């Protein structure tokens, strides 16, 4: 591994560590604020509760110490949730056994139970909350004041069951959302890989078909007219260079390499150059354009170009010395592309939906809301016809 690559990896690790540290400090600060709010609320709320429960034990310094312990334990609730729950449970249990009035200290306990259910795996959360529930219910039967007895079991258990259910639900929902995001990212990655595979197939398939035709011409002429073979070899060199350039542009999207200059995305404006290159291979290609040329959406422009490219590549592969005609029609709301050849019946592609080329072609057109017709012509030869929605860009 090069030193620059090692430095880049180390830089990413440092950045990731800094971001994690920032998140930890942010969480700690938020929990400290929450603990302070509950501390203040507990101080004043407990005084108010004492007025509403005259039969409860009189409050004093020990009361406020227990309220403070339950509230301040929340400062580390996300870092050590079980420690927070243990401190809160001991404080609340002592508070209730002492006979102090029901008050805001239970809110701190509620948050502690919620935190355990929210941030720990369900098994650990249950093992942590079960002893807390048992300890909390001690005050139902043991109290310095008159015990509540069995009627207090259900209300007491609710202070554990309810926050636990809320925390577990939030955890499950967030995990499900995270799984959905991962699955969506995987689908997007798969779609991108499929798109790149189609682009590579179109570029490489067309280039190799043209090079193969030119190489056969060069071999045929080499023995009889070597001076003319040079023209075919020059065409091979130019075609291979152009195919490599287009392939490099396509792969640069995958690499996200900013150092690679990206050529313009192919479109219908380049069909003339495409047909000119194919004429140099010996294929007779005629281009006909009707309607007023206008800018097209990039996806539509590229799909239309690929239909022409793939169709002419199939003519090179399957139709031998047949002539081909490319017709491009600019309609008010659509653009049409038609490629026909004069081969023998089924001498074009194998048929609708057969082969990676036609499959990719059909997927492109379907994704854009267009239509594709592929099949033999009644009078002989093969026909590919595509219609795409093509509103001009504003």
């Amino acid at each position: 591994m090069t030193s620059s690559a090692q430095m880049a990896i180390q830089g990413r690790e440092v950045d990731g560590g800094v971001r994690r540290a920032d998140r930890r400090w942010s969480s700690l600060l938020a929990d400290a604020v929450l603990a302070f709010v509950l501390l203040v609320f507990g101080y004043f709320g407990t005084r108010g509760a004492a007025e509403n429960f005259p039969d409860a034990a009189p409050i004093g310094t020990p009361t406020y110490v227990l309220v403070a312990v339950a509230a301040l334990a929340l400062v580390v609730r996300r870092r050590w949730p079980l420690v927070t729950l243990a401190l809160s449970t001991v404080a609340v249990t002592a508070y209730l056994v002492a006979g102090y009035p029901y008050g805001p200290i239970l809110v701190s306990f509620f948050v502690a139970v919620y935190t355990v259910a929210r941030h720990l795996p369900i098994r650990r959360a249950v093992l942590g909350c079960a002893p807390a529930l048992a300890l909390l219910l001690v005050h139902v039967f043991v109290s310095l004041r008159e015990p509540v007895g069995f009627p207090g079991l259900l209300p007491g258990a609710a202070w554990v069951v309810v926050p636990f259910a809320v925390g577990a639900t939030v955890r499950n929902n967030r995990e499900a959302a995270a799984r959905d995001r991962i699955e969506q990212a995987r689908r997007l990655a798969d779609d991108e890989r499929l798109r790149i595979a189609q682009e590579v197939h179109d570029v490489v398939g067309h280039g190799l078909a043209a090079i193969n035709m030119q190489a056969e011409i060069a071999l045929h002429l080499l023995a009889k007219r070597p001076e003319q073979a040079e023209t075919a070899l020059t065409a091979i060199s130019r075609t291979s260079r152009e195919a490599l350039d287009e392939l490099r542009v396509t792969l640069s999207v995958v690499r996200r390499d900013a150092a690679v200059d990206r050529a313009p995305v192919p479109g219908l404006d380049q069909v003339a150059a495409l047909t000119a290159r194919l004429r140099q291979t010996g294929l007779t290609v005629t281009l006909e354009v009707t309607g007023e040329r206008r800018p097209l959406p990039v996806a539509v422009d590229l799909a239309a170009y690929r239909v022409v490219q793939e169709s002419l590549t199939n003519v090179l592969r399957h139709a031998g010395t047949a002539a081909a005609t490319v017709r491009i029609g600019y309609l008010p709301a659509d653009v049409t592309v038609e490629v026909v050849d004069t081969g023998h019946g089924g001498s074009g592609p194998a048929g609708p939906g057969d082969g990676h080329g036609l499959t990719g072609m059909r997927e492109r057109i379907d994704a854009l809301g267009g239509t594709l017709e592929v099949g033999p012509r009644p009078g002989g030869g093969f026909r590919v016809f595509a219609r795409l929605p093509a509103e001009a860009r504003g």
Side-chain angles (χ1 to χ4, degrees):
M1 182 181 293
T2 63
S3 59
S4 59
Q6 292 175 340
M7 292 177 61
I9 294 174
Q10 292 173 356
R12 287 194 294 270
E13 291 176 349
V14 170
D15 290 342
V18 170
R19 286 193 294 270
R20 287 191 296 272
D22 289 343
R23 287 195 295 269
R24 284 197 298 268
W25 281 108
S26 299
S27 299
L28 183 62
L29 179 60
D31 292 338
V33 171
L34 174 63
F36 178 76
V37 170
L38 290 178
L39 178 62
V40 174
F41 176 58
Y43 176 79
F44 291 101
T46 302
R47 294 177 61 182
E51 298 176 359
N52 295 327
F53 294 92
D55 295 335
I59 61 175
T61 300
T63 310
Y64 294 119
V65 170
L66 294 174
V67 170
V69 170
L72 294 179
L74 297 177
V75 173
V76 294
R77 71 185 186 95
R78 275 183 274 197
R79 187 169 181 82
W80 297 304
L82 290 177
V83 173
T84 298
L85 178 61
L87 292 174
S88 182
T89 302
V90 171
V92 171
T93 300
Y95 179 96
L96 295 176
V97 169
Y100 296 131
Y102 288 99
I105 191 173
L106 290 169
V107 177
S108 299
F109 180 74
F110 187 105
V111 175
V113 175
Y114 165 85
T115 301
V116 169
R118 164 66 183 87
H119 294 283
L120 294 182
I122 189 67
R123 180 180 178 83
R124 290 185 61 194
V126 170
L127 293 177
C129 290
L133 174 61
L135 193 59
L136 180 69
L137 294 179
V138 168
H139 82 281
V140 174
F141 302 103
V142 179
S143 176
L144 298 182
R145 294 287 173 173
E146 183 179 355
V148 179
F150 285 100
L153 286 177
L154 185 60
W159 285 101
V160 175
V161 174
V162 172
F164 185 91
V166 173
T169 300
V170 171
R171 176 184 176 85
N172 291 336
N173 289 341
R174 294 197 176 184
E175 288 179 348
R179 287 193 296 270
D180 289 342
R181 288 194 297 270
I182 293 173
E183 183 61 28
Q184 183 179 9
R186 185 180 294 111
R187 286 196 299 268
L188 291 175
D190 290 341
D191 291 343
E192 181 67 7
R193 283 194 291 268
L194 177 60
R195 187 188 68 81
I196 296 300
Q198 291 175 347
E199 290 290 323
V200 172
H201 171 273
D202 292 342
V203 172
V204 175
H206 170 76
L208 291 179
I211 290 171
N212 178 68
M213 177 70 75
Q214 293 160 346
E216 290 181 353
I217 294 174
L219 290 173
H220 179 73
L221 296 174
L222 188 61
K224 301 178 181 178
R225 287 175 286 182
E227 68 282 355
Q228 294 184 10
E230 182 180 355
T231 302
L233 293 174
T234 301
I236 291 175
S237 175
R238 182 172 57 255
T239 301
S240 60
R241 183 173 60 253
E242 292 170 349
L244 286 173
D245 289 341
E246 192 171 353
L247 181 61
R248 188 178 298 112
V249 171
T250 301
L251 295 180
S252 69
V253 177
V254 181
R255 294 195 305 266
R256 296 291 190 265
D257 188 352
V260 177
D261 293 331
R262 298 183 182 181
V265 176
L268 291 179
D269 289 342
Q270 300 183 29
V271 170
L274 174 66
T275 56
R277 288 198 303 269
L278 290 176
R279 291 190 192 101
Q280 295 175 359
T281 68
L283 178 67
T284 302
V285 185
T286 303
L287 175 61
E288 301 175 1
V289 180
T290 59
E292 182 179 355
R293 293 177 182 267
R294 63 183 186 278
L296 300 171
V298 174
V300 172
D301 210 16
L302 175 61
Y305 175 84
R306 293 303 189 201
V307 168
V308 176
Q309 184 183 53
E310 178 66 22
S311 300
L312 292 178
T313 300
N314 288 330
V315 174
L316 280 176
R317 289 172 175 169
H318 306 290
T321 59
T325 301
V326 179
R327 300 187 181 96
I328 301 174
Y330 291 89
L331 304 177
D334 302 305
V335 62
T336 61
V337 174
E338 183 180 34
V339 179
V340 297
D341 66 65
T342 59
H344 302 289
S347 60
D354 296 332
H356 297 292
L358 284 176
T359 300
M361 191 189 305
R362 190 175 300 281
E363 289 175 351
R364 286 179 186 273
I365 302 303
D366 290 344
L368 295 172
T371 59
L372 179 67
E373 300 175 9
V374 181
R377 299 169 62 198
F382 210 81
R383 175 178 180 264
V384 176
F385 178 82
R387 180 186 295 271
L388 289 161
E391 295 293 336
R393 290 173 295 180

